[in-house]
Amino acid sequence: MALQGIEGRIPPNMERVELLPMDDELQQQWFSKWETQVGGDKTSAFQQFLQDKRCPDRVRELAKEPLLLYLLAMMHRDNKLTVEMFEGASGVGAKILIYEKSLEWVLTEQRKLTEQETAGLRRILAEAGLCVVQSGGEYAAMKTIESRLIGDDSAIELIRQARERHGEDALKNALAAFYLQPAAGDKGGSVEFTHKSFGEFLCAERLKKSIEDWTQPGKKPQEFEISIDKMDWEIYDLFGYGGLTLEIVEYLMALLAASTKFQPVKLFKRLESFYLRWCNGEFIDALQDNYPQRKMSQLQGQNIQIGVRQVDIYAGLNVMILLLELNRYAQSRDDLEDIAFYPCGQKGADSCDGDQLLRIIGYSCCIGVSGFLNTVGGFLSGADLRGVNLRGANLRGVDLSDANLSRANLSGANLWGADLSGAILSSAYLSGAILCDADLSGAILCDADLSGAILGRAEDMGTNPIGANLSGANLNSANLNSANLSGANLNSANLSRADLNSANLWGANLWGADLSRANLWGADLSGANLSGANLWGADLSGANLSGAILENISWDKYTL
């Protein structure tokens, strides 16, 4: 973290370094020194805890970081960390449990704070997490953290008492126990997290608190305690700084799912209303109470350079991410049929607009040419994009696995390296699309138009010599006329009745593929593996089969 604080460029004869996780040898040295502090029995018990099969992998990963290894060992010494507490917890859930137990242990065992002081300090920590993330993930000014606590009596009182007792640096000293330290170079009374993931967890806790508040019932005639106007501003205040990271979203959804105050249907409807109004430019075009301008002024006052359009874009894209995550959460449940997010509007409503997403992608170029991809690209798995128009869009490397793209217009789109595994692309237009290195395994492409699409090696385009993965894909009746499928993996793919006229299948893997009644007239199958392929009724007139592997193929009298 100290290296991150070095101003200016690093001299050309120096390189940045990073701390590697502790290996087994270093960890064993640490345990030897720990034994001199707590004794052999407790050290052996802690080592057995880490080796126990019931101990989640995430916990073992955290134990390779020196700061967290110490904290885990202290908690285990005090019987605050057991394998039993992780029953049913895995992945992010185990990590959250560790962080929550860490907070509880520091507050109750080290600080001996009252209930009111504990609540105040947790509020300060959550706000610190948000401020550090909004400032770029490195550090945040103490005055910024304090300015966000105005109105929280317990937090403000805690700060006042700390200063009376210990002076101006009291709060920074108190926060040191939670992986916060004075920022490198002492950037005007700033603090930074020595453990980035802990800061992201606290940021997620702060977001969770506001999200829960948005669905709390109000007094009649007001449906919600938080009005529409207030919620609109809070969305810009919380999300108008930059793109949400996968880690923060993962923490947030896990925290919400475990909360008794989480009301997904009400939350979805309120966020969807914001999203549709954002798409119409309601907030950035407002003459009064212009929330994007207000947030921009706030951030610039904290020396964070950002423009009004950037604030507006990030707020809208982050809400889109939340709606996509709520949609994914609903798909895993049987009682949330009312949640169905359509990025292009509402299903069956006049506001449903196939071009809307394309306009959003264009608008997002204000934060960079790949602004939409860098912000939302990792959250589109399972999205409902039926009938969407993404013609010519740059979707390189996007995660569209299990997405519904039936009847979508993706002609000329750049889907290089995209994850389309399990996606529904029935009757989709993919003519001229670039699908080099894309994963289409298990995708459904019945009646899709892939004429002229590039799914192969595309060496001329500078990619690695690996074709698209279409193993097990359903390409029944797909139009692949003149498509470049060189080197593509079509293992066990369904290409029945597909039009592969003049297609380039050089070196393709068609092992066990169903090519019955397929049109392969003039196709280049040189070097292709057709072992076990079904060629019943297929038209191979003029096809180049030199060097092709034709073991155990099946054909009938209609095969040409």
Side-chain angles (χ1 to χ4, degrees), residues 24-37:
D24 292 340
E25 183 181 350
L26 279 174
Q27 203 176 57
Q28 192 56 50
Q29 289 179 26
W30 189 94
F31 282 127
S32 297
K33 295 178 180 180
W34 183 245
E35 185 175 349
T36 64
Q37 302 295 318

Side-chain angles (χ1 to χ4, degrees), residues 88-238:
S90 61
V92 68
K95 205 168 183 180
I96 287 174
L97 193 55
I98 284 291
Y99 287 144
E100 288 180 336
K101 289 294 181 181
S102 300
L103 279 172
E104 179 184 328
W105 179 78
V106 173
L107 292 170
T108 58
E109 299 298 322
Q110 281 198 331
R111 297 288 164 176
K112 306 293 184 183
L113 299 175
T114 66
E115 186 175 341
Q116 184 177 4
E117 289 174 330
T118 298
L121 190 51
R122 287 204 66 149
R123 176 78 174 86
I124 293 169
L125 287 168
E127 212 63 56
L130 177 69
C131 289
V132 170
V133 167
Q134 289 202 354
S135 66
E138 291 185 13
Y139 63 89
M142 285 303 305
K143 65 178 183 180
T144 299
I145 299 171
E146 291 182 37
S147 68
R148 296 191 62 89
L149 292 167
I150 294 172
D152 190 315
D153 295 339
S154 61
I156 293 297
E157 179 61 19
L158 189 63
I159 293 171
R160 186 190 65 78
Q161 290 178 4
R163 282 191 172 139
E164 283 184 356
R165 295 171 189 165
H166 308 291
E168 285 298 314
D169 291 332
L171 186 56
K172 282 194 285 186
N173 294 335
L175 294 177
F178 302 95
Y179 308 116
L180 277 164
Q181 64 180 17
D186 192 21
K187 302 178 179 68
S190 299
V191 292
E192 61 186 352
F193 280 96
T194 56
H195 193 283
K196 178 174 175 285
S197 184
F198 190 70
E200 290 176 327
F201 163 71
L202 289 171
C203 176
E205 277 209 326
R206 174 63 182 86
L207 299 178
K208 166 183 169 281
K209 174 64 171 62
S210 286
I211 286 172
E212 288 175 341
D213 290 345
W214 293 341
T215 57
Q216 295 307 301
K219 295 180 179 178
K220 292 184 178 180
Q222 191 167 304
E223 183 180 2
F224 296 104
E225 182 180 341
I226 304 293
S227 67
I228 292 176
D229 291 341
K230 187 176 180 183
M231 189 191 82
D232 291 344
W233 160 243
E234 288 186 1
I235 286 174
Y236 275 96
D237 184 37
L238 295 173

